[in-house]
Amino acid sequence: NTVITDVRAFGPDRVQVSGIAIDNEDVREVHVNGVPAILQPGLVREWTQSVALTGDTLEITAEATDAKGNRELTPHRVTLRRNGADVEWINLKAKPVATAKEEAPKPMMNAPAMAYVSKDGGGDDVVREAPVDVGSLKWPLWDGKEQMADYAQRIGVPATKTLDLNGTKLELVLVPAGSFVMGSPMAETGSQADERPRHRVVISRPFYLGKYELTQAQYSAIAGHNPSYFPAPDHPVEQVSWEDAQAFLQKAGQGLRLPSETEWEFACRAGTATAFSSGDSAESLSSVGWWGYGDYEAHGNAGSGTSAVGKKAANAFGLYDMHGNVYEWCSDAYAPDYYRRSPVIDPQGADSGDERVIRGGSWEGSADKCRSANRNAFNPHSRGFLLGFRVACPVPEK
């Protein structure tokens, strides 16, 4: 069942349409006048879309499709009319949109869409968003359902990439261009003020990201030494500062860089909206990461040090150890209030700051520090046995 709950003017020639959809199966998608809407996660799926207002009246139809592909037979249909600079509803009658002889509207490819507008109610837990015309972007966005191999084929690039680091292989996987809600809700266990407000972010171009945290063997192949406190070639390198990471990347070349904080969280979530890519519980965290040696109240699964990379389950993008093992440096300068002013498209972090962002938690820390949204920061000179990194690499221009 789909219900249009709100329609309002959005500029001179567009309207913002919002609503909810619910089914005894998971709601897979909602179409508004044939165009897929942006869905929020949850049992009751909130959705939003913008529609062009080309005349004095406009009929809007919203219908859902469940996880098994069953299409709603009696969608919600409303008719609007202009009222000066605003719009008003003429009717709320629900009626079938198609008969047995009539084809239902087909989705438009690369149709203009908008991100959610902040929900009424205000406060620090509101989702901060602004409209984005995804049709104007150079790269198509991930639809939230495609396998990475299918997305890679759609955009014409390899799904994986292997680089040579002086005889040592470095494996990277494709992370798609896409849109997601960054940050955490207040209700999430461990949520911190610097993770709010939640806000819609668009990653406008795909990129490659290390399949694993950079290992000691890979670091040594370029840097010529191994600084790690827990030496083992297949463990993540640690005791590296942000500046050490930058020196490694410069020497390694091949376009390697650190991911931005936004890229990191998008890659970590891989389409999820839960505390971890594996779910909300500490038990689910143990399936994807090493954590909790020093958390005596809720002891995790890590021993007294790092573990070999790739021994836990990967997320939906094929990335390992995004939660726990070692913190991962990001390229951004840290500011606790950055989410209040960051841009919608490709945020790059604060303009200035004494600290650099680290993400993902560690083998020593508690579960809440390993959450997808958790932010932390250190001085870029800092080294320690909890600090490592993962490399990113650009997709070639079209």
Side-chain angles (χ1 to χ4, degrees), residues 54 286 293:
T54 57
S286 291
Y293 177 78

Side-chain angles (χ1 to χ4, degrees), residues 42-93:
L43 180 62
V44 178
R45 304 296 296 270
E46 297 180 357
W47 53 265
T48 304
Q49 183 54 282
S50 69
V51 178
L53 181 59
T54 57
D56 291 332
T57 62
L58 172 67
E59 190 168 81
I60 296 178
T61 300
E63 58 178 328
T65 302
D66 69 15
K68 293 182 178 178
N70 301 308
R71 183 172 60 84
E72 186 176 356
L73 296 180
T74 56
H76 196 180
R77 174 179 286 178
V78 301
T79 304
L80 309 178
R81 66 184 172 201
R82 290 184 190 268
N83 182 9
D86 208 344
V87 293
E88 61 184 17
W89 297 11
I90 298 176
N91 67 69
L92 304 175
K93 186 178 180 181

Side-chain angles (χ1 to χ4, degrees), residues 82-154:
R82 290 184 190 268
N83 182 9
D86 208 344
V87 293
E88 61 184 17
W89 297 11
I90 298 176
N91 67 69
L92 304 175
K93 186 178 180 181
K95 56 184 179 181
V97 69
T99 67
K101 298 180 180 179
E102 193 175 69
E103 289 291 331
K106 294 182 178 180
M108 295 169 56
M109 298 303 293
N110 298 323
M114 63 172 287
Y116 291 106
V117 173
S118 298
K119 298 177 176 58
D120 293 337
D124 201 32
D125 211 26
V126 171
V127 178
R128 182 179 72 81
E129 305 212 35
V132 176
D133 182 1
V134 298
S136 66
L137 301 177
K138 187 173 182 179
W139 294 87
L141 302 188
W142 180 53
D143 66 6
K145 302 184 290 291
E146 285 175 295
Q147 298 294 316
M148 282 304 96
D150 295 329
Y151 176 81
Q153 184 176 24
R154 178 157 69 96

Side-chain angles (χ1 to χ4, degrees), residues 139 148-162 172-176 206-209 394-396:
W139 294 87
M148 282 304 96
D150 295 329
Y151 176 81
Q153 184 176 24
R154 178 157 69 96
I155 66 172
V157 303
T160 61
K161 186 172 186 174
T162 301
L172 303 105
V173 300
L174 183 68
V175 177
F207 62 99
Y208 291 103
L209 190 64
V395 166

Side-chain angles (χ1 to χ4, degrees), residues 317-380:
F317 289 166
L319 297 164
Y320 292 82
D321 300 301
M322 295 295 287
H323 304 284
N325 219 1
V326 292
Y327 276 106
E328 299 177 17
W329 288 109
C330 295
S331 60
D332 312 43
Y334 171 78
D337 61 348
Y338 180 62
Y339 286 6
R340 300 187 181 279
R341 61 182 187 276
S342 61
V344 176
I345 298 177
D346 298 327
Q348 297 298 310
D351 293 333
S352 61
D354 295 332
E355 297 177 311
R356 296 295 180 269
V357 174
I358 55 174
R359 287 300 205 114
S362 72
W363 59 269
E364 187 185 55
S366 59
D368 66 287
K369 300 299 184 185
C370 298
R371 291 175 299 112
S372 299
N374 182 250
R375 308 178 70 206
N376 211 325
F378 273 107
N379 186 290

